[in-house]
Amino acid sequence: MPDPISWAYAWPYYAAVLAFGYLLGSIPFGLIITRMAGLGDIRKIGSGNIGTTNVLRTGKKSLAAATLLGDALKGTVAVLLVSHFYGQEMAMVAGFGAFLGHLFPVWLKFKGGKGVATYLGILLGLSWPVGIAFALIWIAVAYLSRYSSLSALTASLASPVLLVLLDQWQLAELFGVLTLMLWAKHHENITRLLKGQESKIGSKSKPAARGADPAS
């Protein structure tokens, strides 16, 4: 248990760092980038999400790459900035805030993405070797299966295990929680994967299904 006197002084800093990470994570790069490119609301095509995979369905690979970079960097910037000034423990709080922001952005009525790119960005900022491993696993599974969701689920499941093997227990606990949240946000994808109905990478865009979850 933290000392009640020191915690009374510390909690405003934790709250501020969490809020900082949340606001960065809430920036909906996929939506902003596609609108600036004149493509309208990305949530009205494909799966209805705002992430890289759905942006790719517009046929604009450069926009998809920009979305991936933006969503990843907001996680990396959050943890690196806070780590520089306050250390890794605070950086972990900022990373958690950034992930929450992407999943539940205040600007989109708390209906955000699934967090894969932001997860990767946070991981690169806190443990770059495991971040690279995540990317390599994602690429390998995507190449073999052509399923973006399966790639993300597999890579995220491996990340806490790799952190434990590297004796980075605090980070393993954080990414264990983030992995559970990521899997929960992918529950519809998991159902479609089990039924063999999941869309593959590169599938053509079409209007989003009514009531689709605008996630990424």
Side-chain angles (χ1 to χ4, degrees):
M1 289 287 292
D3 179 77
I5 298 176
S6 61
W7 178 244
Y9 288 102
W11 78 261
Y13 294 96
Y14 281 91
V17 164
L18 183 68
F20 170 72
Y22 175 82
L23 290 174
L24 274 182
S26 292
I27 302 172
F29 280 104
L31 187 61
I32 293 171
I33 289 169
T34 50
R35 279 184 171 173
M36 289 179 64
L39 298 178
D41 193 336
I42 189 65
R43 294 170 295 179
K44 294 182 180 179
I45 70 167
S47 63
N49 67 50
I50 60 173
T52 303
T53 302
N54 206 41
V55 174
L56 188 60
R57 292 191 177 103
T58 66
K60 305 292 185 179
K61 294 181 180 179
S62 60
L63 299 184
T67 300
L68 174 63
L69 183 62
D71 284 344
L73 279 178
K74 63 189 182 185
T76 306
V77 168
V79 298
L80 289 183
L81 276 178
V82 173
S83 178
H84 177 74
F85 291 104
Y86 300 109
Q88 180 165 292
E89 183 177 338
M90 284 288 205
M92 291 170 60
V93 175
F96 182 68
F99 196 72
L100 283 178
H102 184 78
L103 267 58
F104 310 106
V106 64
W107 325 115
L108 301 180
K109 299 181 180 179
F110 304 104
K111 295 180 180 179
K114 296 179 182 177
V116 179
T118 305
Y119 183 109
L120 173 58
I122 297 166
L123 189 55
L124 286 169
L126 292 172
S127 180
W128 65 264
V130 180
I132 292 175
F134 177 104
L136 292 175
I137 293 169
W138 193 100
I139 291 170
V141 176
Y143 177 79
L144 293 172
S145 71
R146 307 301 296 173
Y147 290 120
S148 174
S149 56
L150 181 61
S151 305
L153 292 169
T154 304
S156 66
L157 192 62
S159 298
V161 177
L162 293 174
L163 288 166
V164 168
L165 293 175
L166 292 175
D167 202 29
Q168 296 179 316
W169 287 92
Q170 275 193 316
L171 291 181
E173 291 172 2
L174 170 64
F175 282 95
V177 172
L178 298 190
T179 296
L180 288 174
M181 295 172 69
L182 187 147
W183 274 61
K185 291 290 284 187
H186 278 80
H187 69 278
E188 292 181 352
N189 302 85
I190 293 170
T191 299
R192 288 194 295 269
L193 283 168
L194 293 174
K195 292 181 178 180
Q197 298 173 350
E198 179 72 324
S199 298
K200 293 191 175 184
I201 296 172
S203 61
K204 293 182 180 180
S205 64
K206 55 185 178 180
R210 186 175 181 180
D213 180 21
S216 63

